[in-house]
Amino acid sequence: MENENTVIRVRDLVKKFGQFVADDHLSFDVYKGEIFGFLGANGAGKTTAIRMLCGLLEPTSGELTVAGLDGFKQREAIKRRIGYMSQKFSLYEDLTVNENIRLFAGIYGIPTHIRKEKTEELLEKLELGSARKKLVRDLPLGWKQKLAFSLAIIHDPSIVFLDEPSGGVDPVTRRRFWDLIYEAAHEGITVFVTTHYMDEAEYCHRVAIMSAGKIVALDTPKALKKEWDATSMDGVFLKLARSNE
Amino acid sequence: MKQLRGFIRKEFHHIFRDSRTMLILFGIPIIQLLLFGYVITTEIKDARIAILDKSHDEVTREITHKLLSSGYFRLDAMLDNEGQIDNIFRQGNIKEVVVFEQNFGKKLERDGKADVQVITDASDPNTAQLLSNYTNAIVQDYLQKKFVNYKIPLEIKPQVRMLFNESLMGAFTYVPGTMALILILISAMMTSITIVREKEMGTMEILLVSPLKSHHIIIGKVAPYLILSILNALIIIGMGYLIFGVPVRGSFILLMFVVIVYILLALSLGILISTISDSQVKAMFVSVMILMLPTILLSGFIYPIDNMPVALQVFSNIMPARWFIEAVKAVMLKGVGTGYIWKQILIMTGMTILFLGISVKKFKLRLE
């Protein structure tokens, strides 16, 4: 299924820390506009994998192409083409909404006139216009989450990486947040998301499940449920975990 | 460049919005300088003394007169015998008793030697030391003027009843010392805390994933503190001059150069501390334990290095503040030029390079 729509291409990717093999021969493709879920328990190798994809870590061996760029030699260039949102929705709490927008637009080198346009657009979409001069620390959690996501894609990246983006957020807020994710995917941004909420896994187009440094399953939620004879992703996950013991 | 500007602006926002940071930046230096300045320069004026003159000759009368007209001392009582000394000290009104031995003037003329006892109240050691020094100086001055043509070494036995407070400061040392302390505090502690805060909040991750280069991040974090530290140094020098009359005898530009070298050193220490700390509390603790206390105790700021045990003298060599204080004192008080302080500047520069080198290494290790 390899084609020009491949945004992330991973082949036999290995990362070792000394003797410890964190990621063991990972191979998968992610396509343009796809929402790709990355599941696994803590310590399964998710974080290491996402760090390599973001250009933060150099892989030990294998092949890695992100947005058409080499994951070994062009790590700095990759950083310009991706967005990243961490599980802490890391914004600067002591800066206002406007100042956060200005800062991140500045870091990604967005020219002033485009920044102003984008700021208005973003504030309107998030219905944050009235809060633009508020400090981020005074915003409700759900708003912070949406703002963090919008800032992660403010520079129109090819891919946005979301590292457990829904920690501590209630299911209703989570659902609204996923509306934003669908919208971004619809606009052609590829979304790579790690999560341990199984309802979120259902929202993904395809999911990969990791265990002990390996990908043990990769398919659409529907196909996985069928294969493992489960009614929910939760069931798939449990059965997979048992079969790997 | 534009990225960096925005990043530095953000750092200033952090600083100006945090009242604790502002207090540390601008409140503490001023308070500390005033405290050190006023507490330590105990100017002696009209200290009450008693005199026991067992000789009652011309020389002792003249010395007494000279002591009392100096402005430093005021006569509280003339004593008749030694038994009264203890008692009068216990009453607590007088700070010093001067005792001339019998036949003082005659002995001086005949043997070239006479004894004065200077007994001071040791419950306030700083004042006691100052008083005995002043008394000594006045007596010596008298002898030099009176017996110009004699070549008699006059021996004075200052029997000072107190713990010798070796820490007595020379008049002007507190301005360089306060600067050393404040600049370490701001530059090293505040930068390490602000960098570690980004780690704690998770924003450091975002910055690392962004196209900002790691040296941009570091420069962006420390540049505001460099600027504010320079401002602080100027405030301290200005206050020292206006309030305490501490002069800048040497080149002002050279002085500021030394200050900037030291700030860069402190900033590199702050960066180093941030690479080994994972929480703000730890960064603060490490800063206080390995920087503040040794800076106060071992840099020569309060306790003269010459009086330390040899082991501590050796240890003081690795205190950044030691070299800074030496260089600043030399420029401010002695008015010397670059030729006299190149060693200190070189040592500080060397330390900076070392700390930055270790930080870069640690930083890379952490990322792997």
Side-chain angles (χ1 to χ4, degrees), chain B residues 19-32:
Chain B
S19 50
R20 268 180 315 174
T21 307
M22 286 302 281
L23 185 71
I24 291 177
L25 280 177
F26 293 104
I28 288 183
I30 292 170
I31 292 167
Q32 195 164 38

Side-chain angles (χ1 to χ4, degrees), chain A residues 27-38:
Chain A
S27 295
F28 59 88
D29 290 314
V30 182
Y31 308 109
K32 185 171 162 66
E34 186 174 30
I35 299 175
F36 191 86
F38 217 51

Side-chain angles (χ1 to χ4, degrees), chain A residues 79 84 92 94 99 107, chain B residues 3 14 17 198 205 208:
Chain A
K79 288 182 180 175
Y84 177 79
Y92 289 98
D94 55 347
E99 284 160 352
I107 286 176
Chain B
Q3 291 165 298
H14 290 323
R17 287 203 184 137
E198 300 247 4
E205 238 178 320
L208 289 173

Side-chain angles (χ1 to χ4, degrees), chain B residues 53 55-65 100 104-105:
Chain B
D53 190 347
S55 180
H56 285 293
D57 57 37
E58 197 195 328
V59 177
T60 60
R61 266 197 297 275
E62 278 180 10
I63 292 178
T64 304
H65 180 73
F100 296 101
F104 187 89

Side-chain angles (χ1 to χ4, degrees), chain B residues 123-194:
Chain B
S123 59
D124 180 358
N126 275 338
T127 311
Q129 170 99 51
L130 273 177
L131 284 175
S132 80
N133 286 348
Y134 280 31
T135 310
N136 237 319
I138 289 169
V139 173
Q140 297 293 356
D141 185 55
Y142 166 78
L143 288 168
Q144 269 173 16
K145 283 180 182 150
K146 174 91 179 171
F147 300 98
V148 187
N149 301 321
Y150 291 68
K151 280 207 167 167
I152 36 165
L154 187 108
E155 193 179 300
I156 286 186
K157 198 166 116 201
Q159 183 195 337
V160 182
R161 229 199 253 170
M162 64 180 193
L163 293 168
F164 265 105
N165 184 355
E166 305 292 6
S167 74
L168 194 69
M169 297 177 104
F172 290 155
T173 50
Y174 53 86
V175 166
T178 307
M179 253 201 296
L181 195 59
I182 292 296
L183 295 181
I184 277 268
L185 181 80
I186 295 174
S187 306
M189 187 165 102
M190 302 300 282
T191 26
S192 64
I193 288 177
T194 164

